[in-house]
Every structure is written in structure tokens, then in C-alpha cells.
Amino acid sequence: MKRRGLLIILSSPSGAGKSTLAKRMRDWDPDIRFSVSATTRAPRPGEVDGREYHFIDEPAFKSQVADGEMLEHAHVFGNFYGSPRGPVQEAIDTGKDVLFDIDWQGAQQITNSTLSAHTLSIFLLPPSIRELRHRLEKRAQDDPATIARRMDKSWDEISHWGSYDYVLVNDNLDATEEQLKTIITATRLRRSQQPDLTGHVRSLQEEFEELS
């Protein structure tokens, strides 16, 4: 039987591993679509418009928000980020899962939206704050001032862990990956994700009555 798609939300403070694990989920199941966010920040070296992000200017972003074209949006580190609604709705209707690498603000907006019944939210915790700082420094993507801002913001992110469906401590990438696979596989089988169940049960009832 066909199923509805899931909105799979991965959130964590910067450096806790959500981007790495999001990529691993795509490698595990290529049918999982990655939600390409729109942002007003400038591209980093190697980033391509439409692949990592849709890079747009601030007036265009605000216009899309005003028109209801963003499923969620947030202002982070001086830039706007948001998830276009159209591609997500299309994926849900055709049984495709959409993976979101977003913060707690975006997660809250999605879980409070009309698509909340099809949302799976997962929060990743670091094993320690020291390890979180070490990971940020090791990946060498940001200057020291940006790392300091991310560390200052990390506890605010962590403080919202209780609003998620599942919370995992990412102290081992391979183990966390297996846990994510288990959670996604089980959630795909929720009754709300299987629109054909009602018709199937009805056919069983008709067959039962015929045989009685």
C-alpha cells in the first residue's frame, strides 16, 4: 500500500552532527529528499545556488513569507532562513519523505502547521559542551568570533530539547545513524501515514460478510 511522506526534522546546536547525519540518511535512502532552504546569507566557497541553499535577497525573502510561501522561517546570525512550502507539500502527497536540517524555531513552526500530523522531529544532543566546541573548531568553517557566537547560542538550542518526538545523544555517529534508521522506519508505518488502510479494512469487512 502507498503511504504519505514524512517531514523529518533534525535539530541540534551547531556542531552536534545534524548535517553529517542528514547526509547519511540520504545515502541510506536516496528517495529521502533534502529540503533546500532559502537564505539571505552570501554563499560560502563551493556552495551552489539550488543545491545547498536558494540564495535570495532580503526583500524577495520577506515577500515570500508575506505570501505564505514559506513553511517555516527564522532569523539566525543576521540572516533569514526558510523552507519553501510548495515542494514539501508535493513530496508529502506523493509519498516522499522530506528531511529538514533546521533549528528549534523552524521545527516549532512546522509542528504547529497544517502538516503536523506527518511530522517526525528529532533533536541531537552533544556528549558534552567541550566536545561541541572541539567539533566546531575542527571543521574550520567559521572564524573564532562566529564560533563564539555559536557557542553562546548552543544552550538556547539545547533548552528546547523537550519539544521533540525523539532526543538522541550523538556520541557515536554510527550508533546514532542506526537509531535514526529505526525511528524513521517505524514512523513510516504509523496509521496516519497509510491512507489506504481504511479502504483495505473495508474490503476485509465486505469479504467477511460475504463468507458469513
Side-chain angles (χ1 to χ4, degrees):
M1 291 184 289
K2 72 176 183 180
R3 66 177 180 87
R4 293 188 177 95
L6 284 173
L7 283 72
I8 304 169
I9 297 171
L10 281 182
S11 298
S12 75
S14 294
K18 66 178 180 296
S19 296
T20 299
L21 286 163
K23 183 181 183 303
R24 289 194 179 197
M25 291 301 97
R26 290 288 312 279
D27 292 341
W28 166 59
D29 185 350
D31 283 340
I32 295 177
R33 301 180 181 180
F34 189 77
S35 175
V36 180
S37 298
T39 182
T40 59
R41 78 159 172 79
R44 292 172 178 162
E47 291 184 330
V48 177
D49 183 44
R51 187 180 67 187
E52 282 79 17
Y53 288 95
H54 297 293
F55 296 100
I56 61 177
D57 60 29
E58 189 169 317
F61 187 97
K62 290 182 176 179
S63 176
Q64 291 185 30
V65 170
D67 292 341
E69 296 176 10
M70 290 292 177
L71 183 61
E72 57 82 24
H73 63 279
H75 188 252
V76 183
F77 299 125
N79 296 293
F80 288 96
Y81 295 81
S83 301
R85 175 183 292 272
V88 175
Q89 184 67 64
E90 180 183 356
I92 291 297
D93 293 341
T94 57
K96 301 295 184 181
D97 300 327
V98 182
L99 185 60
F100 292 82
D101 175 353
I102 56 177
D103 67 6
W104 69 269
Q105 298 175 75
Q108 191 173 70
Q109 291 177 56
I110 291 176
T111 54
N112 290 333
S113 74
T114 57
L115 298 178
S116 62
H118 311 298
T119 297
L120 166 63
S121 61
I122 304 163
F123 194 88
L124 302 172
L125 290 171
S128 69
I129 298 301
R130 287 185 176 86
E131 176 62 19
L132 186 67
R133 178 184 290 277
H134 172 70
R135 291 177 183 178
L136 286 173
E137 293 171 344
K138 184 179 179 180
R139 71 185 189 181
Q141 289 185 352
D142 302 307
D143 58 37
T146 301
I147 290 175
R149 288 199 302 271
R150 293 189 187 281
M151 288 302 301
D152 288 341
K153 187 177 175 59
S154 65
W155 186 251
D156 178 55
E157 293 281 349
I158 291 171
S159 69
H160 294 277
W161 67 273
S163 63
Y164 286 73
D165 297 322
Y166 294 88
V167 180
L168 305 176
V169 178
N170 183 28
D171 55 357
N172 181 289
L173 272 172
D174 292 338
T176 305
E177 177 184 353
E178 293 306 311
Q179 291 172 335
L180 284 173
K181 291 176 182 177
T182 298
I183 291 169
I184 292 170
T185 299
T187 308
R188 285 171 169 174
L189 297 174
R190 284 193 313 208
R191 189 180 65 217
S192 61
Q193 298 308 114
Q194 301 186 69
D196 289 346
L197 279 180
T198 300
H200 181 67
V201 172
R202 187 177 297 115
S203 68
L204 292 177
Q205 180 182 13
E206 292 172 355
E207 182 182 5
F208 179 81
E209 292 173 352
E210 289 174 2
L211 296 175
S212 298

